[in-house]
Amino acid sequence: MFRYEATQMILGCLQDQPLVTNLGPTTDELWAAGHRDRNFYTFGSMGLCSSIALGMALSLSEKVISLDGDGSLLMNLGTIASIGREQPSNLIVVVWDNEEWAQTGRQKSHTAFGTNLEAVARSCNITHTKTVTDLTQFKSVFKESLTTDGPWFIVAKIEEGELYPLMPQEPDATLLRFRATYLS
Ligand SMILES: Cc1ncc(C[n+]2csc(CCOP(=O)(O)OP(=O)(O)O)c2C)c(N)n1
Ligand SMILES: [Mg+2]
C-alpha cells in the first residue's frame, strides 16, 4: 500500500473533520491529494503530530484524525500514553509505518527490528487498534473508526512510492486558515 493512495481514500471518506499531518511526505502528499482548510499541516515539529491532534480532540466534539509517521511517533512515545490516559473518544491516530525515517535518507526505524506500535498502544489502554497492510482492509477499518467511539490507533504498513512536490512551508498560514474555520 502506498501512502498517497491511502491518503486519497481518507479524503474520500471525510467531510470537514480536522486532519493533522506529520512533517514531510505525509504533509506534502495530503496537500497534493487535496487541500482543505481543515488540513493542519505540520513542518519541522517531529514527534508532535499526534500530540497536536490530541489537544484538538480534547477541545472539539467532532472526529479528529492524526496522520503520523513511525519514526516521529517513536521519538515521542509518551503521546500514546497520554492518549490512553485521556481516552478521547473522537481521536483517530493513523501511523504510516514504512519502517524507516524515509525523508532523511531511508534509515531503518525500530519497527523494522520488531517494535510493534499497535502493541504499544494496546499496552497504553487504547483498545480500538488495528494493523492494516492493504487498502481494502484499511478502508474498512478507517470507516469503522469514523462511526464508532475511540480512541482509535491504526498502524498502516506502507511502502515508499514516487515523490510528490514539496508543499510550501507555511505554518502561520496553516494556523490562521485552520483557526478561521471555527470562527464563522
Ligand atoms: C527533533 C527533530 N529531530 C530530527 C528531525 C529531522 N527529521 C525530520 S523528518 C525525520 C524522519 C521522520 O520519520 P517518519 O516520521 O517515519 O516519517 P517518514 O519520513 O518515514 O515519512 C527526521 C529525522 C526533526 N525535524 N526534528
Ligand atoms: Mg517512517
Side-chain angles (χ1 to χ4, degrees):
M1 173 166 54
F2 294 106
R3 183 174 41 226
Y4 188 73
E5 61 181 358
T7 302
Q8 287 179 308
M9 181 280 289
I10 287 173
L11 284 175
C13 294
L14 294 183
Q15 286 152 348
D16 61 355
Q17 297 94 332
L19 190 50
V20 187
T21 49
N22 189 37
L23 74 171
T26 300
T27 276
D28 297 332
E29 291 180 23
L30 175 63
W31 183 67
H35 170 73
R36 305 145 70 239
D37 286 355
R38 290 265 166 98
N39 290 350
F40 194 92
Y41 311 103
T42 68
F43 310 92
S45 52
M46 187 179 172
L48 293 177
C49 178
S50 294
S51 302
I52 294 167
L54 170 61
M56 282 184 194
L58 291 174
S59 50
L60 296 170
S61 55
E62 63 205 308
K63 287 276 188 179
V64 175
I65 299 103
S66 169
L67 303 183
D68 214 330
D70 57 318
S72 298
L73 199 51
L74 280 160
M75 207 180 72
N76 184 12
L77 284 178
T79 199
I80 303 178
S82 297
I83 292 165
R85 171 180 165 156
E86 297 297 330
Q87 292 290 314
S89 61
N90 57 337
L91 179 62
I92 303 168
V93 174
V94 172
V95 187
W96 297 135
D97 187 2
N98 51 11
E99 304 188 351
E100 60 188 25
W101 290 283
Q103 64 203 273
T104 48
R106 305 203 64 174
Q107 303 89 352
K108 284 186 181 305
S109 83
H110 304 40
T111 60
F113 296 91
T115 300
N116 180 339
L117 290 173
E118 183 189 359
V120 173
R122 291 193 81 83
S123 72
C124 290
N125 199 29
I126 300 175
T127 54
H128 293 87
T129 68
K130 198 81 182 176
T131 296
V132 296
T133 53
D134 67 57
L135 197 55
T136 308
Q137 191 190 16
F138 183 31
K139 186 173 185 177
S140 153
V141 174
F142 186 70
K143 282 186 155 180
E144 187 186 351
S145 72
L146 282 174
T147 52
T148 56
D149 279 353
W152 275 87
F153 190 92
I154 305 167
V155 177
K157 290 286 188 181
I158 57 159
E159 52 184 312
E160 281 303 307
E162 61 179 290
L163 288 175
Y164 288 84
L166 299 184
M167 178 184 180
Q169 301 262 320
E170 47 167 35
D172 295 356
T174 293
L175 177 63
L176 294 172
R177 254 192 329 247
F178 184 87
R179 196 184 273 159
T181 66
Y182 288 97
L183 297 178
S184 52

